[in-house]
Amino acid sequence: MNKLKLIIGFSIAILFSSCSEDTEPIIQTVNGFKYKDTFFSVDKAFIKDFNIIDNEPSKIAIVLSNVDPSRTTPKWGGVNYFYFAFEASNVIEGTITPVPEYSIRENADFDNFSILAGNTILRHNDPRVSNIAVSSLININSISIDEIDLDFEFTRPDGEIITGSYKGTFE
């Protein structure tokens, strides 16, 4: 009986010692962006080439969001959004720096193909200088007919760095 109590005591001690209160939460690091130690998921990607007539350079926009822009019903709040645009003939592997047009928002609204309100983290033409990046970099690691792999880093004037990535299909 004493051996049984001893075995049970050791088992309980091992069980409690294996439980730790200071375990770190798992932070997703793919298909989203990190701002102020918070991860914002963007699991949908869209590419829009504004020149569909010929192969002349034009604006190409890439949007990463957690909302499908072809949805017909509005979504109020909770929309994460990263938009950037650059001049090119097509999207190819390489680095874009500085990024000429960009907007990063969280907790925004979506209505009728438009992103509204929310918290603007960065925007290239924001009247508040504190929301204009002092440095910006996008690496397009690979692109195929329907998949893209990219990562990005933007630095705000206050020194806060926004990093993110996306690897998956696009429309």
Side-chain angles (χ1 to χ4, degrees), residues 6-124:
L6 188 60
I7 291 172
I8 291 173
F10 278 126
S11 298
I12 291 172
I14 290 171
L15 178 66
F16 282 119
S17 68
S18 66
C19 296
S20 174
E21 292 181 24
D22 56 66
T23 57
E24 293 290 323
I26 297 172
I27 297 175
Q28 185 179 353
T29 57
V30 177
N31 297 349
F33 59 90
K34 185 177 175 188
Y35 171 64
K36 291 192 174 181
D37 295 324
T38 301
F39 184 80
F40 299 93
S41 177
V42 288
D43 56 355
K44 294 168 181 45
F46 310 91
I47 298 178
K48 167 92 170 133
D49 185 345
F50 288 85
N51 180 4
I52 57 171
I53 297 171
D54 56 30
N55 202 26
E56 291 297 313
S58 67
K59 182 159 76 170
I60 297 176
I62 297 180
V63 174
L64 306 177
S65 181
N66 63 335
V67 172
D68 181 349
S70 64
R71 71 182 281 154
T72 56
T73 57
K75 176 163 177 34
W76 306 113
V79 176
N80 304 324
Y81 173 80
F82 172 55
Y83 158 89
F84 70 95
F86 56 98
E87 191 86 11
S89 298
N90 52 30
V91 181
I92 59 172
E93 294 175 6
T95 301
I96 302 164
T97 188
V99 181
E101 286 187 35
Y102 54 87
S103 180
I104 302 174
R105 294 187 189 182
E106 60 93 10
N107 198 29
D109 301 331
F110 173 82
D111 187 24
N112 196 25
F113 297 97
S114 295
I115 299 294
L116 312 166
N119 177 29
T120 299
I121 297 169
L122 283 175
R123 191 172 75 192
H124 72 280

Side-chain angles (χ1 to χ4, degrees), residues 93-164:
E93 294 175 6
T95 301
I96 302 164
T97 188
V99 181
E101 286 187 35
Y102 54 87
S103 180
I104 302 174
R105 294 187 189 182
E106 60 93 10
N107 198 29
D109 301 331
F110 173 82
D111 187 24
N112 196 25
F113 297 97
S114 295
I115 299 294
L116 312 166
N119 177 29
T120 299
I121 297 169
L122 283 175
R123 191 172 75 192
H124 72 280
N125 60 353
D126 199 299
R128 298 164 292 189
V129 176
S130 61
N131 284 349
I132 299 175
V134 294
S135 70
S136 56
L137 171 93
I138 295 175
N139 287 316
I140 299 175
N141 302 310
S142 66
I143 184 154
S144 69
I145 194 158
D146 64 350
E147 291 187 354
I148 190 166
D149 176 2
L150 61 86
D151 53 65
F152 53 90
E153 181 176 296
F154 288 76
T155 304
R156 292 171 43 98
D158 61 7
E160 187 74 34
I161 298 173
I162 298 95
T163 60

